Every structure is written in C-alpha cells, then in structure tokens.
Amino acid sequence: MNLLNTVRDRFATALSGMVTDVAPLLEMIRPAQDAKFGDFQANFAMPLAKQLGKPPREIAQMAIDRLQISDLCEPAEIAGPGFINLRLRDEFIARRISQTAGDDRLGVLPVSAPRNVVVDFSGPNVAKPMHVGHLRSTVIGDAICKTLRFAGHHVTGDNHIGDWGTQFGMIIYGYRHLRDDAAFADNSVGELARLYKLVNTLSDYQNTVTKLPGLEETAATLRTQLTEQEVATGTDEKAKKQLGAVRKQLAAAHDAVKTAGETISSVESNPVLLKLSQSHPGIARLARDETVKLHAGDAENNRLWNEFLPECLEALNRIYQRLGIEFDLELGESYYNPMLADVVASLKIKSLARESAGATCVFIEGNAAPFIVQKTDGAFTYATTDLATIQYRCDTLKAAEILYVVDKRQSEHFQQLFATATLWGMTNARFQHVAFGTVMGKDGKPYKTRSGDTVGLESLIDEALSRARRIVDENDDRREMPMLSSDERATVAEIVGIGGIKYADLHHSRDSDYIFDWDKMLATTGDTATYMQYAYARICGIFRKLDIERNTLTSGGSTILLMTPEERRLALQLLMFETSIDGLLQDYRPHVLTSWLFETADAFSKFYDRCSVQDAESKELRHSRLILCDLMARALRTGLALLGIQVAEVM
Ligand code: ARG
C-alpha cells in the first residue's frame, strides 16, 4: 500500500467539489518533516485560499469537513496559517505492519497495468576503456531496471554498446601504423586502448596547433575592444554592464588559449610524441578515412573489426561480472548499421529531413542546431543509429516507454531525437532522458587519476575491494573470536566494496555532479551501504544469539504491539516502503529509495537503543519486537537488492 497516495486520494475526493484542478494541490501533501506535526502534512490551504478568495484556515476547515479518513487517521488538526496535520491511528499502523510482516513483498502490490519498458543503460564505447562516467549509467540504470521489475513491469535492460563509432577508425589506423607487437600479443585490449589514446592525443594536438592562431586572435580582438570601451564608458550603468560581459568573454578566450597551450606543450615536451606527430601529419583525417572504409564494407577493415570486437567485449564483461550487472539485451550500434540508409530515406519521404550544405538534416522548430542524420561524406551518425534503435524498440520490442540513462551533457541530442522520433511516427511510446551529472574529484574537477587520465573502472573496483578488505579485517580482528575465514572475508569485502561504490553513486540526486570520496563511501556510519550492511548483519546476529529461526517467526501469529514512540516510528517507516518505490519510479530517482533506507535504518537504531528485545516486559512484546527486527532486516535486504547491493549475514 502506498500510504502517501492513499492519503492523497482521500483528499482528491474531498477537494473535487471545491476546485477543478486538484493535482497540484495533492502534490502539497507530504510526509511531515517533524513528528510534532503528525505523520502527514497538507499545505495546500494557502494557495487554494487565494484561488477561492477565502481565509486559509476556513479553506482548511472546509477540506477537513469533506475529508473521509477516520479509518486511517485521528481527527485532522489545523495549525498556524492553515496547515493540515494528520496523524495515523496507532491501531491502523499496528494492523498494517502485522500484515506486512507475513508478506514476502513487504506489502508492495504488483502494478495493475504493467508496461513494456526498455532501459538503455551503460552503453560504453568498446576499445576506449570504460571509465567512472560509465559507472553512473550502469549503476543507476541497473537500479531502475530492478525496481521497475519489482513493481511488476516488463523490463528490457539494453546495453547500447558503442561498437561502430569513430574510435574504430583510430584503432585501425593505430594498429596498422603504431602498434607494439609484443604488447599486443601480451594484452591486446590494453594495447588497443593505448593506440586509441595515442591517435586521439596526436589528432588533438594537430587540431589545436591549427586552431591556436584563431584563438589568439579572438583574445586580442576582445582585449582591444575592452580597452576602447573602458576609455569610453565613464559612469554610464548600461555601458558598465556591457563591459562586464566583454570581460567575461575575454576571460573565456584566455582560458581557451591557455588550455590549447597546455595541449600543445604536453606533446611538444615529449620528443617521442612530437616525432610521431611529425611522421603522421593529418592523423585525424586518416583515422576518419578508416572509419568511412569500415562503414562502407571494406573487407580488410571489417576483418580487423571482427578480430578486435570479441576481446573488447570480453574485457567489458569482466567488469560487468565484478559489478554483478546483467542485461536482457546487448545490441550495439553495429547491429543497426544495415538499417541506417532506410532510416534516412524514410525521413526524406516524410519530408522530415532535407539537404543542407551537403548534409542531410532534420530541423526541429525551436532548436538552433540541425539534427544531422547523414554527413557530407555520406557517413551516418550517432543520431541515425539512435533513430533506427527507437524504431526497433517500438516495432519489435513493443516498447511503451524507453528510458535513456545517459550523461546530462547529451540532453540536446535526446531532445532532438525524441522530437524527431515523434514526428516520424513513433507516437505509442513515451521517451525519457534519465540524465545524470559528472563524477568529480576532491579538487572540484572531473575525477582523474594523478597523471590526469580518466579513472578506469577496473582499477577503481580493485581499489574498492582492497579498502573494503581492510575494513572487514579490522572489524573481525576486533572480535574476541574472529568469525570469518580468509575466503569469507574476501567475499564480504566484495559485497562491501561494490556496494559502497554503487550506493555512493545512487544516494546523490542523479542530475547533480558529485564528489568521489573513498572515505565517505566506505564509512561504517552515515548514509552508506556499509552502514546498512552492518545493520543487516547485526540483526542477523541478534537472531543467532537468541537461537531463533527467523522464518518461523510469523507462523505463531504476527501481532505487533506499538508500546513506544520508537516502535511506532519504525513501523510507520517500514510501511512507507511502497511510497518510496513509487517515488523512485515517478521520475526515476534512486536516491528516493536510499533516503528511505537511511531514514528507516535510523528509526531502527533508535528503536533498538530504546526497546529491549530480549528483556521485553512480556512474551508478546518480545515476539512483536523480534518481528520488527526481522522485518527491518528484510527491508534492508530487499531495498538494497533493488539497488543492486548485496548483504551478508556475518560481517
Ligand atoms: N556510447 C554512448 C557514450 O558513451 C552512450 C550511448 C547511450 N545510448 C544511446 N542510445 N545513445 O556516450
């Protein structure tokens, strides 16, 4: 039962005769922030009073008079200027929580109208090493898939692997002209990654050298402009404002020159790189030619692609395995290659796409940039592939909803994609870009290694496991009698390390950037997976100590007694599980569930401090408290599992 929605539904009925649009008012009914305001608070009286031209307290009273909720709540109270405070009846909570105790799904009913949802997540580009940015898509996407599935929807998690993009041209060029045979024999994927990086560096360098004079000229022009304006401005406020704008532009131009200078000197200070650049002039174009040949069906380039791809995929799969991630479908970009020409033809027939400066583009009203579906050289684009993919998902997978769990920097692409797909006729499905921010280092810049490289996932996982192992060792060594063998410690370290990485990512609001911090991530107290995992193990320990078989607990009846405010709060928190799941799914925000987990764990720790289980005043109370403990453990296990995080009975 979704408690919040139940309360909102009752208000919807009460308000329906008073006002036409109740939805925005219902949004203003929320769980109360502070227990002294009850359990739920409705704050719509003030805006509604404005609409109806009556005092807010009178409006609140009118709403209460029409509200039928006495089966759930104590009589409603009006506070301050017109807040409506609701407190659930203790008998209601006790009855509900007793029912929940005997339910595997912790009271969550499967949805009555399941949807076909395709979740596009992870999508790394093969041969470029998978980095910490892909982790976000992978972890958030997996949590969304699992939660949708738990709610009862039909989910297809699809890994849209970048296996056909321009990076292959770079790799093929690098392989032909720059490869280190011994390194390739030893670790082909590692060598391909090095070649990709090398070609990329050289082409970046050469482009920057070409671009630098232009950048310097822009800066010089702005500087002159600024000097002239400074002389002319005087005290005119408007002119002063303009001056500020020019100063900003100048600062940006200086930055661009500085960055370009750094790119150039990083190569020129390295004689080996410099020499390579001199012997491979125009490397960007040469690499692009290889991509064009690959896409045009060139036999030799396709042979190389077929040779490289399986090993690259294997390297990716190793990471997925360590992270415990599975997909229902893995159709990479290459899968759609045969369909691309038809996509463009169809867009043209429907007069959606037209030629512009040699390229074929879709122009969407309100969007400055065109959506290019075929470039001047005939090449199809990321956009063309995404259109073919949408068609496949709508027609073959019968998707009712497609979610793209992708970096927010691609939001313009998705806006254009969705608009084009809709005009193209894909109107049965709903599309959403589930965007996320950047992983930052403690210096406030995108998270990099000390040498300035993006952080590879493999090494990130290694580090998480070794840090987790230290924590597990310390914890077990502190015991009078350590409980874990070395193998068990390794297993627990894996659960803690991987869980820590995932939770740290999920508990931030997904569209904001977040700072990657090992110490916070694996802290044993606070809003971390480690804290929840230890809480889970502690509860298992209680049952072990008392020698009680947990799965027989509710067979002797599951009457819950709420004797203290702490028991009441814990029970109510546990009843809010479905509300938090629905809250996550409303806009695909996993942190709604982590917040619930954290608040529930907090309620449990206060309950456990205050309420003795073993020495409870009566047998009935002891039994009731044991059931709450068991329910709490199951809530932790189930909630964490939806986020892709495991638990261990002994840690
Ligand atoms: N390969 C892309 C990248 O790394 C992400 C793919 C996202 N999915 C999509 N259908 N465009 O940026």
Side-chain angles (χ1 to χ4, degrees):
M1 176 189 214
N2 181 328
L3 263 185
L4 179 61
N5 281 354
T6 307
V7 173
R8 285 181 173 171
D9 285 348
R10 301 294 177 93
F11 271 105
T13 313
L15 293 175
S16 63
M18 292 168 67
V19 56
T20 40
D21 190 10
V22 294
L25 302 175
L26 299 181
E27 288 289 311
M28 306 176 81
I29 303 167
R30 308 227 174 88
Q33 293 294 342
D34 189 326
K36 69 171 182 270
F37 302 129
D39 300 321
F40 293 95
Q41 193 164 45
N43 296 346
F44 57 71
M46 279 70 81
L48 186 55
K50 259 203 200 119
Q51 264 184 60
L52 301 182
K54 288 203 176 117
R57 286 188 70 100
E58 198 176 305
I59 294 291
Q61 190 58 54
M62 269 170 80
I64 289 177
D65 290 343
R66 305 164 69 103
L67 183 68
Q68 295 194 357
I69 203 162
S70 57
D71 53 328
L72 305 179
C73 296
E74 307 286 352
E77 282 173 13
I78 304 175
F83 300 116
I84 302 174
N85 295 339
L86 286 172
R87 188 183 151 85
L88 292 166
R89 298 159 63 103
D90 291 352
E91 312 87 78
F92 169 77
I93 299 181
R95 183 160 33 87
R96 277 284 159 179
I97 199 72
S98 303
Q99 287 162 359
T100 306
D103 180 13
D104 278 348
R105 291 177 55 89
L106 300 162
V108 180
L109 292 175
V111 290
S112 51
R115 299 189 298 271
N116 266 352
V117 189
V118 173
V119 185
D120 181 319
F121 72 109
S122 197
N125 300 319
V126 299
K128 291 189 203 175
M130 203 168 167
H131 60 78
V132 67
H134 292 112
L135 181 70
R136 292 214 77 182
S137 174
T138 309
V139 168
I140 296 171
D142 185 51
I144 291 173
C145 285
K146 291 194 157 84
T147 311
L148 276 168
R149 221 171 265 134
F150 181 74
H153 295 290
H154 307 302
V155 182
T156 308
D158 185 7
N159 189 7
H160 190 75
I161 301 174
D163 60 0
W164 197 240
T166 46
Q167 82 271 24
F168 267 101
M170 296 194 182
I171 290 162
I172 291 172
Y173 184 89
Y175 178 80
R176 288 227 175 89
H177 305 282
L178 298 160
R179 120 179 134 240
D180 174 340
D181 276 316
F184 188 78
D186 182 43
N187 169 5
S188 57
V189 177
E191 174 62 1
L192 291 180
R194 184 191 72 88
L195 290 168
Y196 164 75
K197 207 178 136 201
L198 178 59
V199 175
N200 209 13
T201 305
L202 298 178
S203 98
D204 230 21
Y205 163 70
Q206 294 172 0
N207 285 339
T208 310
V209 169
T210 322
K211 240 173 38 192
L212 184 62
L215 294 175
E216 285 172 336
E217 203 181 307
T218 312
T221 315
L222 284 166
R223 202 173 307 119
T224 318
Q225 197 185 337
L226 189 65
T227 321
E228 283 168 8
Q229 280 187 357
E230 269 169 350
V231 175
T233 304
T235 54
D236 181 356
E237 278 308 313
K238 201 172 144 207
K240 267 195 190 160
K241 253 206 189 127
Q242 266 175 1
L243 211 61
V246 179
R247 273 203 196 103
K248 254 201 191 142
Q249 285 173 8
L250 180 60
H254 275 310
D255 274 352
V257 172
K258 189 169 156 242
T259 315
E262 284 165 4
T263 306
I264 291 174
S265 71
S266 74
V267 169
E268 293 187 349
S269 65
N270 180 332
V272 180
L273 282 180
L274 187 60
K275 192 148 164 274
L276 280 177
S277 174
Q278 283 155 353
S279 29
H280 299 269
I283 197 167
R285 189 181 41 79
L286 295 170
R288 211 160 40 234
D289 289 348
E290 297 299 350
T291 310
V292 173
K293 273 165 65 187
L294 172 72
H295 289 181
D298 174 82
E300 187 49 27
N301 279 10
N302 275 274
R303 189 187 67 74
L304 285 179
W305 184 83
N306 279 310
E307 182 184 326
F308 298 155
L309 193 66
E311 302 191 33
C312 295
L313 292 180
E314 209 171 290
L316 289 180
N317 285 334
R318 258 201 316 275
I319 294 188
Y320 290 134
Q321 206 166 23
R322 295 184 76 183
L323 289 172
I325 304 283
E326 285 173 15
F327 300 93
D328 302 298
L329 204 59
E330 281 194 276
L331 295 180
E333 292 178 3
S334 63
Y335 178 80
Y336 301 96
N337 183 51
M339 309 169 199
L340 303 183
D342 286 345
V343 169
V344 175
S346 160
L347 290 170
K348 279 185 175 165
I349 289 172
K350 296 197 173 172
S351 302
L352 280 171
R354 60 183 160 85
E355 307 280 316
S356 167
T360 308
C361 310
V362 178
F363 291 89
I364 310 267
E365 233 176 287
N367 254 322
F371 199 44
I372 303 175
V373 291
Q374 193 164 18
K375 291 196 274 193
T376 346
D377 60 8
F380 300 111
T381 65
Y382 185 52
T384 333
T385 308
D386 259 335
L387 284 166
T389 309
I390 285 201
Q391 189 174 40
Y392 178 85
R393 289 173 179 165
C394 288
D395 293 352
T396 309
L397 302 180
K398 305 275 179 260
E401 190 172 345
I402 308 178
L403 307 177
Y404 294 84
V405 187
V406 184
D407 194 311
K408 71 174 170 197
R409 283 168 290 193
Q410 293 191 31
S411 64
E412 193 183 349
H413 166 77
F414 285 107
Q415 245 168 29
Q416 294 184 309
L417 176 67
F418 300 162
T420 306
T422 305
L423 292 170
W424 194 27
M426 311 288 146
T427 47
N428 287 337
R430 185 186 161 271
F431 313 120
Q432 185 176 344
H433 178 199
V434 179
F436 55 80
T438 308
V439 183
M440 308 295 248
K442 278 188 180 166
D443 57 0
K445 296 196 187 128
Y447 190 44
K448 295 271 164 70
T449 61
R450 222 169 276 156
S451 60
D453 288 333
T454 47
V455 179
L457 270 194
E458 195 94 39
S459 61
L460 192 91
I461 295 173
D462 288 342
E463 170 133 24
L465 296 202
S466 76
R467 282 175 184 260
R469 178 62 191 254
R470 251 175 281 152
I471 293 170
V472 173
D473 282 344
E474 264 170 36
N475 202 64
D476 201 31
D477 289 338
R478 234 190 338 246
R479 292 186 169 117
E480 255 167 61
M481 286 267 275
M483 293 176 71
L484 299 169
S485 70
S486 174
D487 277 357
E488 286 165 338
R489 287 182 181 197
T491 308
V492 174
E494 221 166 278
I495 291 173
V496 170
I498 302 289
I501 297 182
K502 290 184 178 178
Y503 193 94
D505 201 309
L506 295 168
H507 92 288
H508 291 96
S509 167
R510 64 173 158 74
D511 34 21
S512 47
D513 300 342
Y514 83 90
I515 294 175
F516 196 90
D517 182 338
W518 283 115
D519 296 326
K520 276 195 191 154
M521 177 180 305
L522 296 172
T524 44
T525 55
D527 192 9
T528 63
T530 320
Y531 171 59
M532 319 280 169
Q533 288 164 327
Y534 272 106
Y536 178 81
R538 213 166 297 130
I539 300 174
C540 296
I542 300 171
F543 285 100
R544 253 195 323 272
K545 215 170 100 200
L546 298 178
D547 198 17
I548 293 173
E549 196 53 63
R550 275 173 60 194
N551 46 26
T552 58
L553 257 187
T554 51
S555 49
S558 54
T559 306
I560 304 275
L561 307 170
L562 304 176
M563 301 300 280
T564 60
E566 285 78 9
E567 281 163 300
R568 185 184 185 282
R569 171 161 179 246
L570 174 61
L572 176 54
Q573 263 305 125
L574 289 165
L575 288 183
M576 292 295 279
F577 184 45
E578 181 158 348
T579 306
S580 82
I581 288 191
D582 289 351
L584 183 163
L585 292 179
Q586 197 182 355
D587 193 32
Y588 302 110
R589 296 185 175 278
H591 82 270
V592 176
L593 182 54
T594 64
S595 299
W596 175 81
L597 278 166
F598 187 47
E599 280 160 27
T600 312
D602 178 61
F604 180 79
S605 102
K606 301 216 161 93
F607 153 80
Y608 199 66
D609 278 349
R610 163 84 193 266
C611 305
S612 170
V613 176
Q614 208 174 345
D615 304 320
E617 292 98 84
S618 67
K619 222 177 90 203
E620 289 75 21
L621 190 57
R622 177 174 185 265
H623 190 66
S624 160
R625 287 178 178 170
L626 281 170
I627 291 178
L628 280 178
C629 288
D630 172 63
L631 197 52
M632 179 67 209
R634 283 158 51 210
L636 282 169
R637 192 181 59 211
T638 310
L640 288 171
L642 294 180
L643 303 173
I645 299 171
Q646 291 176 285
V647 289
E649 308 239 330
V650 184
M651 284 175 64

